[in-house]
Amino acid sequence: LIQSSKMPKVSKKETASRGTTDVKPKGRKTAYSIFVQTCRDEHRKKNPNANVNFSEFSKACSERWNKMSEKEK
């Protein structure tokens, strides 16, 4: 990366405060990430005020994912 001496260095914090950050697409979501998002939505509907322990939730989702057939995935 070549930086011109004419351009002042700007930190990420300064760029964010000015609102000039470029938001780039992160790419396609995988089937697993869509599945986890669905699990989160289901959990929120069933337990709207409950706090979620991330590690327990992730383990439960991964177990559920591994039990699914390829057709279900």
Side-chain angles (χ1 to χ4, degrees):
L1 182 66
I2 301 172
Q3 191 152 15
S4 172
S5 61
K6 295 178 184 178
M7 298 288 293
K9 287 187 176 183
V10 179
S11 69
K12 287 183 182 181
K13 187 175 183 181
E14 289 173 336
T15 306
S17 67
R18 287 193 264 163
T20 59
T21 58
D22 293 330
V23 179
K24 296 180 182 178
K26 296 181 180 179
R28 293 185 179 189
K29 285 189 174 184
T30 62
Y32 182 72
S33 64
I34 294 169
F35 170 75
V36 171
Q37 184 63 46
T38 305
C39 286
R40 280 190 205 118
D41 294 341
E42 290 173 0
H43 187 268
R44 283 187 194 131
K45 286 179 184 177
K46 292 178 184 176
N47 309 306
N49 297 327
N51 290 333
V52 179
N53 182 336
F54 179 76
S55 62
E56 290 177 11
F57 182 78
S58 296
K59 286 177 186 177
C61 282
S62 66
E63 288 173 7
R64 189 170 157 195
W65 177 260
N66 290 329
K67 290 179 183 177
M68 293 173 69
S69 69
E70 287 298 318
K71 188 175 182 179
E72 291 175 315
K73 293 178 182 180

